[in-house]
Amino acid sequence: MDNSQVVDVLNDVIETCKDGEYGFKTCADNATAPALKQTFQRRASECAGATTELASLVVQYGGKPEDGGSLSGALHRGWVKVVDAVSGTSDQALLNESERGEDAALARYRKALKEEGLPSDVLAVLSRQMLGVQRNHDEIKLLRDQYKASA
């Protein structure tokens, strides 16, 4: 795999991280429970950190880091806005949508990790970050289930 292909893979994952950051910020802005608001803010910050780490790899491999999110991420954020307009955005709805977003992020990381010929330093970063995405997903799912059970 040449450097431009490595950059393409990394930039795809950067889009996912930016989608997560924007989505979690939107959820934090709309959450009513203070603890949930903090969870979403923490997740947004973690996504921003992942983006920074991936961007440095892009530069290392001679590329220009992606500076926007993906179309599907924009749709995800748009969905959060629609829910807000229609229902006043319940914390449950935000958690449901966050879990869906984390499902998409996991799929994107898995796809990246299946790319043949990625350098070992890139594989190490992607693998470590994917474990973080999995933890995020599991925490969001647990919170979603707790909110559902208490409703």
Side-chain angles (χ1 to χ4, degrees):
M1 177 174 284
D2 67 26
N3 283 1
S4 68
Q5 292 168 310
V6 172
V7 166
D8 287 345
V9 169
L10 289 168
N11 273 330
D12 281 347
V13 179
I14 285 174
E15 284 183 353
T16 299
C17 292
K18 288 194 170 286
D19 292 345
E21 179 184 0
Y22 300 146
F24 282 126
K25 279 182 181 177
T26 301
C27 288
D29 290 344
N30 290 286
T32 57
L36 188 56
K37 188 177 285 280
Q38 289 176 345
T39 297
F40 288 141
Q41 289 168 339
R42 186 173 62 250
R43 293 291 174 251
S45 178
E46 289 170 2
C47 290
T51 297
T52 300
E53 185 176 27
L54 294 170
S56 69
L57 281 172
V58 168
V59 170
Q60 177 183 323
Y61 282 90
K64 181 179 182 301
E66 182 64 47
D67 62 356
S70 68
L71 176 59
S72 65
L75 293 173
H76 169 78
R77 291 185 300 279
W79 184 92
V80 172
K81 294 291 188 193
V82 168
V83 168
D84 184 41
V86 172
S87 69
T89 309
S90 71
D91 287 346
Q92 180 71 53
L94 293 172
L95 286 163
N96 291 342
E97 186 60 13
S98 294
E99 184 187 8
R100 193 177 70 77
E102 290 299 275
D103 287 341
L106 280 171
R108 196 80 169 271
Y109 271 91
R110 286 181 183 124
K111 179 183 174 198
L113 285 166
K114 287 181 182 176
E115 292 288 336
E116 295 289 327
L118 282 174
S120 60
D121 59 334
V122 172
L123 283 172
V125 169
L126 291 174
S127 295
R128 182 177 38 76
Q129 286 188 0
M130 189 176 104
L131 291 174
V133 173
Q134 184 67 59
R135 277 191 308 273
N136 288 348
H137 175 274
D138 294 346
E139 181 182 2
I140 294 295
K141 184 176 181 198
L142 179 65
L143 286 168
R144 183 209 63 192
D145 291 347
Q146 289 171 347
Y147 271 72
K148 191 182 290 183
S150 69

